[in-house]
Amino acid sequence: MTQVPVLALPNFGKTFVVETDASGFGVGAEIDNDTELANLRRHVSAGQQLPAGYSMDNNRLLFKGRLVLNRNSTWVPKLFHEFHGSTLGGHSGVQKTYFRMARELFWIGMKGDISKMVSQCDICQRQKYSTMAPSRLLQPLELPNKVWSEITMDFITGLPKSEGCSVIFVVVHRLSKYGHFVSLKHPYTALTVAAIFLRGGGGSSFAWHSGIHCIRSG
């Protein structure tokens, strides 16, 4: 720690137990003031089994070996500063900051909270530069001179399952804008996609369309 943390006063209207880690700072009061985490502790006290991944060690609640914190804890922004904004943190991006913190800590919604905090970091917003190569003038593609000489392919993923399929393989002819749509199941490989494409081009049961009004699979 490069700064001395100050523990906020707990809510004396609720039951809490002050715990200390190796550095001597209390963290238990924050946990016990959180209803969901306090319920997990009560499960342990009553001898009930914790949900998968949770465990207790020296009266500390852990998730897969990482210390569990209250999402609204005053420790979260302080720890974020140490892992992101300190000299050691170096104002790294979302992924590096998340992986550093996730090695030791856990709270519900952790990745989204870290992404939000990084995006709101004033120093990052003012000082970070783009690591992408400078963009150049766009060069339009030449128009094809015959049907199906040039095509584009793409995948629409993350769809609700229908007969086990959750992906749509889309093939579009650049000149006529005719489309070819086929449903796919996970997992699929380049070999299976190539076989489906060749079957479609050979006049099988796939239907060619000028729009997206109908989707058929083979």
Side-chain angles (χ1 to χ4, degrees):
M1 295 291 184
T2 59
Q3 296 180 355
V4 179
V6 178
L7 181 65
L9 288 175
N11 185 349
F12 290 98
K14 298 182 180 180
T15 302
F16 63 89
V17 177
V18 177
E19 300 174 2
T20 58
D21 56 12
S23 62
F25 297 114
V27 296
E30 292 284 358
I31 294 178
D32 281 340
N33 277 332
D34 181 89
T35 303
E36 184 174 357
L37 300 183
N39 288 336
L40 291 174
R41 283 176 172 267
R42 281 194 289 271
H43 285 319
V44 176
S45 301
Q48 300 177 3
Q49 185 176 2
L50 283 170
Y54 287 95
S55 61
M56 294 293 295
D57 180 33
N58 293 328
N59 205 29
R60 294 184 304 168
L61 182 62
L62 305 178
F63 179 74
K64 296 182 178 179
R66 299 174 288 167
L67 179 64
V68 178
L69 294 178
N70 177 1
R71 186 177 187 178
N72 299 317
S73 170
T74 56
W75 283 89
V76 170
K78 296 174 184 176
L79 290 168
F80 172 77
H81 172 75
E82 295 300 327
F83 283 91
H84 175 76
S86 65
T87 304
L88 295 176
H91 290 276
S92 301
V94 175
Q95 293 296 329
K96 284 187 177 180
T97 303
Y98 169 72
F99 285 129
R100 285 173 181 167
M101 297 187 72
R103 283 196 291 264
E104 306 292 338
L105 307 167
F106 171 80
W107 68 83
I108 299 172
M110 180 178 183
K111 190 168 186 179
D113 290 343
I114 292 175
S115 177
K116 182 178 180 181
M117 287 187 286
V118 171
S119 67
Q120 294 175 346
C121 176
D122 182 62
I123 294 177
C124 290
Q125 294 299 315
R126 288 186 290 140
Q127 304 295 336
K128 286 287 185 177
Y129 60 91
S130 176
T131 57
M132 299 178 63
S135 58
R136 302 180 182 275
L137 294 176
L138 297 177
Q139 301 296 324
L141 298 175
E142 296 183 2
L143 292 176
N145 53 18
K146 58 182 179 180
V147 177
W148 296 108
S149 60
E150 294 185 23
I151 61 172
T152 61
M153 293 184 290
D154 204 349
F155 298 89
I156 303 174
T157 62
L159 300 173
K161 285 189 177 182
S162 175
E163 298 181 0
C165 300
S166 60
V167 179
I168 297 178
F169 174 42
V170 183
V171 181
V172 178
H173 174 227
R174 288 189 53 237
L175 180 61
S176 64
K177 306 303 180 185
Y178 268 55
H180 188 185
F181 305 89
V182 55
S183 56
L184 294 177
K185 298 179 179 179
H186 276 293
Y188 54 87
T189 63
L191 182 62
T192 58
V193 171
I196 291 172
F197 173 75
L198 292 176
R199 287 204 306 270
S204 69
S205 62
F206 296 123
W208 302 100
H209 302 284
S210 59
I212 57 173
H213 306 291
C214 179
I215 298 176
R216 288 182 56 192
S217 65

